[in-house]
Amino acid sequence: MALQFYNSLSRSLEEFKPIQEGNVSFYACGPTVYNYAHIGNLRAYVFEDVLRRTLEYLGYSVQHIMNITDVGHLTGDNDDGEDKMLKTSRESGKTVWDIAEYYTEAFFRDTDRLNIVRPSVSCAATQHIDEMIALIKRIEENGYTYMAGGNVYFDTDKFKDYGKLALLERQEQKAGARVDVDKNKRHPRDFVLWFTQSKFENHIMLWDSPWGKGYPGWHIECSAMSMKYLGDQFDIHCGGIDHIPVHHTNEIAQSEAATGKKWVNYWLHNEFLLMDSGKMSKSKGGFLTLQSLIDQGYHPLDYRYFLLGAHYRTQLHFSFDNLKGARSARLSLEEKIRELLKSGEAPVPAGNRSEKARSYAETFRGDLEADLNTPRALAVIWTILKDGDLTPGEILGLLYEFDSVLGLKLKDIEPAKEYQPSEEEKAMLEERIQARKDKNWGRADEIRDYFQEKGLILKDTPQGTVILPASV
RNA sequence: GGCGCCGUACCCAAGUGGUAAGGGAGAGGUCUGCAAAACCUUUAUGCACCGGUUCGAAUCCGGUCGGCGCCUCCA
């Protein structure tokens, strides 16, 4: 089996071949830090994390770059064209810089809690204005730009394959159907590389440039930063499926206009998380943050497990019932691992596996190689847990290895600690045994309730009463 | 209106022309005074519907119905 990805560029599965053998250069579109990430946003980062972990599991060395968009861009929230960062600034009374810092920290707090490995480089747009200006100059020198109304526009008519990724040539778009047409544009699909004429007042983030004091267009940052860290050509570019028609289409156009070469070989896009009402977004309500799930008693990894249960390219239906199901499954998995740890067997290393254990490892690997089929990969776990031919040590060895991709922190699970009752509690347990003999169920249950309030479960077995920690 | 995707059990969700993964929930059982926990068993002759191709279709083709997304900032 060879590693295969669904490449949005060709709309088909392709065998993955990196430009440089053994190394993968990978860029992922990061967050705009003007608000908290919602759990739909976070799906993208879990997907990218699984991608990165899979590549590393398969032996590649991965250079993973992610941008932080801390420059404000036009918002469509109310079709008022206001800058997102400025809007939050006005509403909160904080500076745009403070807001960017605050939400950047919040973002990484969330991804850490989801056990997402941090990118090799996280680069802030505001730290790379020089690179953006340099890139715009290259595009300008190659004749792909025009000035209008003080802004630098990309002339999409000059770029022959414009819209290839999005199959735009097949579409008849309703330009201006939902947003006012920019009168400066020669073609509605043209986009701004550099603004000097702000549509709104009091723009705080301004930089000097050959075209005047202003700020960059949205798309240029991803091209400039990815090329700075990964070179003019690299292997993989990821992002949400919504980016295909505009953002990624424009990134390709401006990057290839600058270099004259093919820019990215593999485009991987994740589908959306859906609520009952449709996709999750601020305007439609149902804005759930990771913290709000935690506040309702869920563990961040419950959400990660939930996401792993579906393929990244399918729309996934979120509901608390479904999240609850993921939590039950994950806790049950933890419980089974605690059972295995009781055996005292050490995890069997990959080199010492039985024939059967080896075949499971290959199945797991094959599932990931098939365009990151995490639902199948998860199913392998449940299958080996039920396979009586494997020793506890072999199962642990397999699970720990698989978890380097799944990221469920299975290695952190420790054997259940025996609860040590105090003298007083020992006396209560004795009393309960007597009460049960006397069929004094009221007193017996009272004592059981006492332990239950301490998060402990009394389990009556023929050998006597066992004290167990209650899960959840 | 144009473009793209999807429809598999009560729910979520895999599925590569050849016996329909997995999880959750439910039901039954072992155990128990009743519980809880654990374990075992069980749950689609069926894949939206109608045709077609094929020895064989959830899978390929055509049509119908239904859902979602994009065309606008978005993961």
Side-chain angles (χ1 to χ4, degrees):
Chain A
M1 260 300 279
L3 178 59
Q4 289 192 316
F5 293 131
Y6 182 87
N7 190 348
S8 301
L9 214 49
S10 65
R11 310 261 161 157
S12 61
L13 282 174
E14 291 181 16
E15 186 175 334
F16 177 69
K17 289 200 182 100
I19 294 167
Q20 213 182 76
E21 202 181 326
N23 291 296
V24 178
S25 43
F26 161 39
Y27 183 87
C29 283
T32 302
V33 284
Y34 71 107
N35 200 341
Y36 294 106
H38 60 63
I39 59 173
N41 298 134
L42 292 171
R43 184 182 188 194
Y45 304 106
V46 171
F47 148 63
E48 285 150 9
D49 186 53
V50 170
L51 169 61
R52 175 189 174 161
R53 286 166 176 270
T54 296
L55 288 165
E56 288 175 342
Y57 179 66
L58 297 175
Y60 291 102
S61 166
V62 181
Q63 185 69 358
H64 173 192
I65 312 299
M66 186 184 75
N67 65 299
I68 302 287
T69 301
D70 56 352
V71 186
H73 293 293
L74 301 182
T75 173
D77 281 348
N78 301 306
D79 275 351
D80 57 3
E82 192 173 9
D83 179 292
K84 286 178 198 170
M85 301 280 298
L86 278 181
K87 190 178 174 193
T88 307
S89 171
R90 178 170 53 70
E91 288 168 358
S92 66
K94 293 180 186 157
T95 72
V96 284
W97 305 98
D98 286 345
I99 289 161
E101 191 185 344
Y102 177 82
Y103 288 111
T104 300
E105 276 173 26
F107 175 78
F108 282 117
R109 190 163 59 240
D110 281 349
T111 59
D112 286 348
R113 290 194 287 197
L114 285 167
N115 200 21
I116 291 170
V117 179
R118 291 209 185 188
S120 320
V121 177
S122 309
C123 39
T126 52
Q127 303 300 309
H128 296 78
I129 300 296
D130 289 346
E131 285 84 351
M132 296 184 214
I133 289 171
L135 184 62
I136 297 170
K137 275 193 199 159
R138 282 172 82 183
I139 300 166
E140 191 175 45
E141 282 160 16
N142 290 344
Y144 289 93
T145 65
Y146 60 89
M147 295 291 298
N151 298 332
V152 183
Y153 286 86
F154 186 91
D155 190 344
T156 55
D157 276 339
K158 296 248 171 74
F159 187 75
K160 80 171 160 40
D161 278 336
Y162 184 81
K164 191 171 147 197
L165 175 70
L167 305 177
L168 290 184
E169 72 279 8
R170 289 195 205 162
Q171 301 188 22
E172 287 177 32
Q173 300 193 43
K174 283 187 170 178
R178 292 169 67 185
V179 73
D180 286 343
V181 178
D182 181 343
K183 298 282 191 297
N184 292 321
K185 289 184 181 179
R186 292 181 187 167
H187 192 285
R189 64 191 193 182
D190 290 352
F191 56 95
V192 177
L193 296 169
W194 188 266
F195 287 96
T196 64
Q197 296 300 308
S198 184
K199 284 185 183 170
F200 32 87
E201 293 171 6
N202 305 322
H203 207 291
I204 297 158
M205 291 179 163
L206 292 171
W207 293 268
D208 286 323
S209 85
W211 311 281
K213 213 174 176 63
Y215 56 97
W218 176 43
H219 313 294
I220 198 70
E221 67 173 79
C222 287
S223 292
M225 291 192 281
S226 63
M227 288 159 83
K228 170 177 179 176
Y229 294 102
L230 300 174
D232 283 358
Q233 293 178 293
F234 58 95
D235 297 307
I236 302 175
H237 194 310
C238 285
I241 195 167
D242 54 308
H243 280 321
I244 292 175
V246 180
H247 183 49
H248 289 167
T249 289
N250 291 346
E251 279 187 52
I252 291 171
Q254 66 198 5
S255 300
E256 298 188 356
T259 66
K261 293 183 285 200
K262 186 176 186 186
W263 183 45
V264 172
N265 288 331
Y266 301 88
W267 286 87
L268 275 59
H269 292 97
N270 64 284
E271 254 293 356
F272 278 114
L273 182 74
L274 300 184
M275 307 294 288
D276 289 342
S277 55
K279 80 166 182 176
M280 176 170 287
S281 67
K282 286 176 298 299
S283 48
K284 283 190 181 175
F287 184 93
L288 292 173
T289 59
L290 187 65
Q291 185 60 47
S292 70
L293 303 187
I294 294 168
D295 292 343
Q296 294 192 48
Y298 293 93
H299 191 285
L301 293 178
D302 294 336
Y303 182 59
R304 185 177 175 107
Y305 186 97
F306 170 74
L307 293 177
L308 294 175
H311 191 261
Y312 75 90
R313 271 189 304 110
T314 60
Q315 295 177 337
L316 173 61
H317 298 91
F318 179 86
S319 71
F320 278 99
D321 274 351
N322 296 339
L323 183 62
K324 206 181 289 174
R327 173 172 64 185
S328 298
R330 199 180 67 81
L331 291 176
S332 161
L333 178 60
E334 286 195 354
E335 193 53 44
K336 286 175 197 297
I337 288 171
R338 277 192 206 98
E339 272 310 302
L340 292 168
L341 288 169
K342 270 196 201 163
S343 73
E345 288 184 25
V348 174
N352 288 344
R353 280 187 185 135
S354 65
E355 188 70 28
K356 203 158 189 193
R358 266 206 305 278
S359 90
Y360 280 125
E362 271 180 35
T363 303
F364 180 82
R365 181 189 167 112
D367 290 338
L368 291 171
E369 285 179 332
D371 196 29
L372 308 176
N373 195 326
T374 53
R376 288 188 84 91
L378 272 184
V380 174
I381 281 189
W382 293 101
T383 307
I384 64 177
L385 283 169
K386 278 186 278 195
D387 191 330
D389 293 344
L390 299 175
T391 65
E394 276 185 315
I395 297 175
L396 284 172
L398 288 168
L399 291 183
Y400 287 167
E401 180 181 312
F402 296 171
D403 198 46
S404 69
V405 176
L406 301 175
L408 296 170
K409 294 194 175 178
L410 301 184
K411 277 188 185 166
D412 292 358
I413 298 164
E414 291 176 1
K417 287 197 185 98
E418 298 266 331
Y419 179 74
Q420 298 300 326
S422 65
E423 289 305 315
E424 195 183 337
E425 286 169 342
K426 278 183 190 164
M428 288 171 75
L429 289 170
E430 287 303 318
E431 185 190 348
R432 181 163 175 276
I433 289 165
Q434 190 56 47
R436 292 184 68 224
K437 277 182 189 161
D438 299 343
K439 298 194 193 296
N440 181 358
W441 312 129
R443 180 58 189 154
D445 289 351
E446 243 175 63
I447 294 170
R448 187 165 68 195
D449 291 345
Y450 164 84
F451 282 96
Q452 194 146 16
E453 274 175 34
K454 300 187 73 175
L456 298 164
I457 287 168
L458 298 189
K459 178 182 164 187
D460 300 315
T461 69
Q463 290 76 38
T465 302
V466 180
I467 308 172
L468 295 171
S471 37
V472 185

